[in-house]
Amino acid sequence: MYYRRKIILSLLQLFDNELEKLAFQKLLFLFSQRKQKPAYEFVPFQYGCYSFSAQADVLTMCQQQLLQDKDHKIYKLDRTNYIDTLKVDDMKMLLELKQVYGKMQTQALVKHTYIHYPYY
């Protein structure tokens, strides 16, 4: 499995195995902004930053029955603990991400990215 897909699975795992699609894109974007060499590139789109390659990976993992894309949410179906398979720095960044943004509603995340990353 590609390492970048383990990041997606770990992100979902940290957020109780489900995220709204918009929140997922924003959180993955915020994670990527902290990386020197991000696994995913983002472009400006309808609701701010969006990664077509991350969406392609989500669709692939849905076909592999690791994820489910339903009702504007993404669900992690696989019970594997992917957080433990990450590099230590990535694990720390994801845990910080959860601590800082974990209680934000989706609209607050969208607003946050609009304010702090106006290009997107």
Side-chain angles (χ1 to χ4, degrees):
M1 175 183 299
Y2 292 123
Y3 183 78
R4 68 180 192 225
R5 291 182 182 166
K6 291 180 181 180
I7 291 171
I8 288 175
L9 291 162
S10 297
L11 176 64
L12 287 163
Q13 183 179 331
L14 276 176
F15 285 86
D16 300 323
N17 297 319
E18 70 176 69
L19 280 168
E20 290 182 32
K21 289 181 184 182
L22 271 175
F24 165 76
Q25 285 281 338
K26 302 312 168 236
L27 291 166
L28 189 60
F29 171 77
L30 291 167
F31 173 79
S32 296
Q33 291 301 301
R34 296 174 179 212
K35 301 275 297 168
Q36 191 163 357
K37 291 184 180 181
Y40 294 102
E41 297 296 325
F42 288 81
V43 296
F45 202 60
Q46 294 170 338
Y47 296 99
C49 51
Y50 185 81
S51 173
F52 286 96
S53 55
Q55 183 58 29
D57 279 350
V58 166
L59 291 174
T60 298
M61 288 188 282
C62 286
Q63 291 172 345
Q64 296 170 344
Q65 297 182 343
L66 298 171
L67 301 178
Q68 183 180 30
D69 184 343
K70 181 181 175 185
D71 300 327
H72 304 290
K73 288 188 177 185
I74 301 168
Y75 300 90
K76 179 180 174 278
L77 303 176
D78 185 9
R79 296 194 184 271
T80 305
N81 182 354
Y82 288 98
I83 295 169
D84 291 340
T85 68
L86 296 180
K87 297 173 187 171
V88 174
D89 290 342
D90 290 338
M91 184 188 312
K92 286 180 183 178
M93 278 190 269
L94 278 178
L95 291 170
E96 288 172 12
L97 191 78
K98 169 73 173 175
Q99 184 177 11
V100 173
Y101 303 106
K103 295 186 180 182
M104 277 187 163
Q105 298 294 325
T106 299
Q107 291 307 316
L109 276 171
V110 171
K111 184 176 181 179
H112 176 80
T113 56
Y114 279 170
I115 290 170
H116 295 282
Y117 302 94
Y119 171 75
Y120 296 94

